[in-house]
Amino acid sequence: PIPCVPWQSQTSGQYQRRVHGQGVVDSDQFCNYCNINMDSFFEGLWEILDRDQDGVLSFGEMLLGFYKFLLATPSELLELTFQVFDRDGDGYLEDDELEDFREVSFGEYSIYPLSTQTLLKLCDRKRDGKIDFLEFEEASQNYPMVVWRVYDVKDSIETALGGAPFWFNIYGRLHPEYIDQHYTDWKERNAKRRKEAKIMTRMIFGSIVRYVCCFCPCLFQKEEDISIKIDPKNRKNKVGDDVFPDAATLEKRLNYEVDDEYASSDEEIMADYVKELTAKDHGGRRT
């Protein structure tokens, strides 16, 4: 059933005044009003929307067509697209139907023009020379260009009649489950983008740090300067050039270590020991 919404009277008035003035519209007038290029796809779509096959759309047919086309779910829109190309209704795209499909989706003015043989290699999984709906559905997932024309026509009609936000609100009222799914997908995409942005930031920061480190002064020192600093002969101790200047001092140091009252963490004993060594060192130098 067609939903009863308050915009019907407004749309009806625009339809009556601007499109035809008599309550019906033909395909040329509709294309001019919605800025749509006439091709085999739109001709097939028009035949589906024109339920009484009189060549024109009444206001009721237009509303029913909008509900079926503009407010369809992705799966319903894909079925409608296949129905447009499958004019004889046998469930296969072959011969002239296949050529029309190729011309619309991968024709001369397409971004990716393909020949019929190439199109069959991409879409005909059964290799029987024709495309059924399952193969068409799989091709639309692998090659989005398959359904670009249907979304191009859909966007043109939405822009000309009410605007995209208006139709999106109606779509949300009819299919709230799809809106929730779109919101969930949107959150997941944003989380993935934030994670990628953090990784990129770390990479950029690390590159900057490595670049700045190239100008560190320590890298410009000569090899002999560095060897002088790390040479043990150039190291200075507070108690002299050698920790154990003679055998007597070494013996005293060992006695401290084996003494029960000695503790390596006792700062006073260590301080007295250092003073004693320093005084002895100075006395030896004076003599």
Side-chain angles (χ1 to χ4, degrees), residues 169-180:
N169 291 334
I170 300 298
Y171 181 87
R173 291 165 56 185
L174 294 175
H175 309 289
E177 68 279 3
Y178 283 93
I179 300 299
D180 296 339

Side-chain angles (χ1 to χ4, degrees), residues 45-64:
L45 178 63
W46 188 265
E47 292 178 0
I48 294 176
L49 299 182
D50 184 15
R51 299 178 64 86
D52 55 9
Q53 300 299 311
D54 59 354
V56 294
L57 290 184
S58 64
F59 183 69
E61 289 175 329
M62 186 182 70
L63 288 182
L64 183 60

